[in-house]
Amino acid sequence: MIGREKKEYNDLFFVCSLIEYIGRKTKNHRNVVVNAIGKDKLQHLYGLADVYHSENIEKVTDELIFDYNIEQGVFDNISNAKYSIPTHWDIGKVYKRLIVDICNEQKKEPIEALIEVYNSWLSRKIEDFNSSLYYENPDYLYESYVRGEVL
């Protein structure tokens, strides 16, 4: 481990932040982005996140949108937000923490857990920037996820 956290956690953070960035740019729910990229390419991005992290995120985003034909959607949680908008890095951290908790507690692989989380009911709640759910404690988010409802 170099730095404050494991390299794998930082790689996961980058992939989650990238998903958020693509979702904002294409106005899609984040599960649409995840499903368009697919498990194999997500695994590839995760494996090379330290390399991609040194690239311009705009460039990487444009390449992924083009390569996976991610079309423009109509979900615009940025324009609809009434309050301060978290950055794509902020939301990437929320997802990373939840996915790490799932991996540690349920012994799942990171990309498997990532796909599961982004396709869950909780992802739609995190996407709602008019709520404060994305500010909640990571333990609270994990317990809500496990129980299938916001506690």
Side-chain angles (χ1 to χ4, degrees):
M1 178 168 73
I2 299 173
R4 296 185 305 185
E5 67 180 12
K6 292 181 180 178
K7 177 192 174 305
E8 294 81 13
Y9 294 175
N10 194 43
D11 294 345
L12 187 59
F13 164 66
F14 175 75
V15 173
C16 293
S17 298
L18 183 61
I19 291 166
E20 180 64 24
Y21 198 86
I22 293 169
R24 290 178 186 203
K25 188 165 187 171
T26 62
K27 294 183 175 28
N28 280 298
H29 287 284
R30 304 329 177 232
N31 69 309
V32 172
V33 174
V34 166
N35 296 335
I37 295 172
K39 184 178 181 178
D40 290 341
K41 183 61 176 183
L42 287 167
Q43 190 68 51
H44 176 79
L45 288 169
Y46 175 64
L48 294 174
D50 55 341
V51 174
Y52 285 114
H53 195 92
S54 65
E55 292 279 339
N56 180 312
I57 195 166
E58 263 310 310
K59 178 181 177 280
V60 175
T61 296
D62 288 344
E63 288 173 359
L64 291 171
I65 291 169
F66 178 79
D67 290 348
Y68 294 95
N69 196 30
I70 302 173
E71 297 182 10
Q72 284 293 311
V74 295
F75 176 67
D76 188 0
N77 59 343
I78 303 302
S79 294
N80 295 332
K82 298 175 187 173
Y83 311 107
S84 178
I85 301 165
T87 69
H88 59 282
W89 301 117
D90 294 332
I91 297 301
K93 189 179 293 184
V94 170
Y95 278 103
K96 178 212 64 166
R97 288 175 176 161
L98 178 58
I99 293 164
V100 166
D101 286 347
I102 290 168
C103 290
N104 290 339
E105 296 297 323
Q106 300 178 16
K107 307 299 182 225
K108 293 188 177 186
E109 293 297 316
I111 297 305
E112 174 190 1
L114 180 148
I115 292 168
E116 186 179 293
V117 165
Y118 277 100
N119 282 289
S120 76
W121 65 274
L122 188 56
S123 182
R124 293 295 171 103
K125 300 285 187 186
I126 293 169
E127 289 176 345
D128 181 2
F129 295 157
N130 290 321
S131 78
S132 61
L133 190 63
Y134 58 87
Y135 279 123
E136 291 292 344
N137 178 300
D139 292 337
Y140 177 85
L141 289 177
Y142 176 75
E143 285 302 318
S144 293
Y145 177 81
V146 169
R147 293 185 188 196
E149 64 182 351
V150 176
L151 304 177

